[in-house]
Structure formats: C-alpha cells, structure tokens
Amino acid sequence: DVSLIASATRNIMESANQFFYVSERGLSTEELNFRMDIMHRNEVVNIIDIANKLGFSQNCFRAGLDKGYLDHLNNEFKESAKYLELKNHEITHILSGRKPTFQAKPIRILENEIESAIFNLLSNSVHGFHLGVVSNSFNKTSAFHNFFNTEQLLVLSLIVSGIYTAHVV
C-alpha cells in the first residue's frame, strides 16, 4: 500500500524533527521544560478544540481537568525566564497552542522548502483526492497520470525514511 508507506515516511519525518527538538545539544533544563510545556499546551488546546467541535459539554469533569491544566501551563509560561525573553508576537504564537514546537532556529535535516514540499506530497498521497489517488495507482492510463507516479513516491519515501532515520541514529 503506497499511501501507507508515504504516511509512515511522513511520521518518521515528524518524529525525527520532534526528537531533535527535545534532544538538542546544550539544551538547558529550563529550555527543555519550556519546550515540553509548549508540546503539552498544543495537545491540550487540540483536545479542547476537538471536544468543542464534537459538541461535548465543557462542564464535565474531563473538560475541567483540561482547562485547569491549560491554566497551569499559562502560569508556568508567565513565570519562566524564557517567557520574559520573548517578543509579543512570539508569546501570542505560543499561547495560541497551534503548534507543538517553538524554536527561533529549528534544526533541519533538509532545507525548509524541500522538507515542506516532500511532507505535502506524502500528505496528499493519503487523501482520496485526485493527487492522492493518482500517485498511489499503478494504472498507467491518462486518468491516473501526473508528475509524481507511484514508483517515484515509493523511491522518495524510502530515501527520505532512510535519511531521517539515519540522522536520529
């Protein structure tokens, strides 16, 4: 299943980037805790958002735990020396909880644009949309043909998986 291989490669890319985010050399305990709090904040914000969109009551015990934990994380941010070093737009970015990471200069295995393009291609391959169906089909008719064919997607997935895994090891 080509889409499964592409999805696994995407997960390897994300896992490697996350690994480097929390295991950067020379990272102080305070910075590591700050980064872990950002990751936890993203998780809680996502849980609350999903529960809201699914119509779950925000008055239940679990929702209270999530909101309480979010308040706790907000207080930890505001008491952190790292928080005091941030600019207003950076504080807004972190407190939004939209992303699980924040780093002035993130460690990259590939250039940002190349990584983004590969990640998007791998993401599209798991969709039922035409780009996903086409790149996952061994059918060579004109309806199932685009710039990225199945063989190219498989080769790219294997190479990228190898590169990211090797960097982690």
Side-chain angles (χ1 to χ4, degrees), residues 4-168:
L4 179 63
I5 293 168
S7 179
T9 300
R10 206 183 88 157
N11 289 339
I12 289 169
M13 291 173 74
E14 282 185 309
S15 297
N17 286 337
Q18 201 63 34
F19 171 78
F20 288 117
Y21 180 68
V22 297
S23 67
E24 183 179 334
R25 289 184 183 191
L27 199 62
S28 69
T29 302
E30 181 182 15
E31 176 70 23
L32 176 60
N33 289 335
F34 188 72
R35 291 180 183 192
M36 295 301 290
D37 284 346
I38 291 170
M39 290 168 39
H40 291 141
R41 180 169 186 49
N42 171 258
E43 179 183 3
V44 173
V45 166
N46 279 322
I47 289 169
I48 291 170
D49 184 54
I50 291 166
N52 280 333
K53 288 177 179 174
L54 293 175
F56 287 100
S57 170
Q58 292 303 298
N59 298 321
C60 70
F61 178 73
R62 175 59 200 222
L65 289 176
D66 290 338
K67 287 179 185 174
Y69 188 56
L70 200 54
D71 290 341
H72 168 74
L73 288 174
N74 283 342
N75 291 335
E76 280 193 9
F77 279 130
K78 292 174 183 171
E79 293 171 4
S80 166
K82 295 298 295 175
Y83 179 87
L84 299 174
E85 297 172 7
L86 298 173
K87 296 176 177 96
N88 284 339
H89 72 279
E90 294 171 328
I91 291 170
T92 302
H93 170 80
I94 290 171
L95 292 179
S96 75
R98 287 177 293 191
K99 291 193 172 194
T101 59
F102 176 79
Q103 208 172 0
K105 291 178 82 175
I107 297 169
R108 291 276 179 224
I109 295 171
L110 299 174
E111 289 179 26
N112 194 36
E113 292 230 355
I114 292 172
E115 181 180 79
S116 177
I118 291 170
F119 193 85
N120 286 340
L121 177 62
L122 297 171
S123 295
N124 285 332
S125 70
V126 298
H127 290 292
F129 303 120
H130 191 258
L131 180 58
V133 172
V134 169
S135 61
N136 289 317
S137 176
F138 285 101
N139 186 334
K140 300 295 183 194
T141 65
S142 61
F144 290 97
H145 182 73
N146 74 9
F147 188 77
F148 299 102
N149 63 32
T150 304
E151 292 85 1
Q152 290 169 326
L153 185 62
L154 284 170
V155 169
L156 182 67
S157 293
L158 293 173
I159 290 171
V160 169
S161 295
I163 290 170
Y164 277 76
T165 302
H167 274 79
V168 169

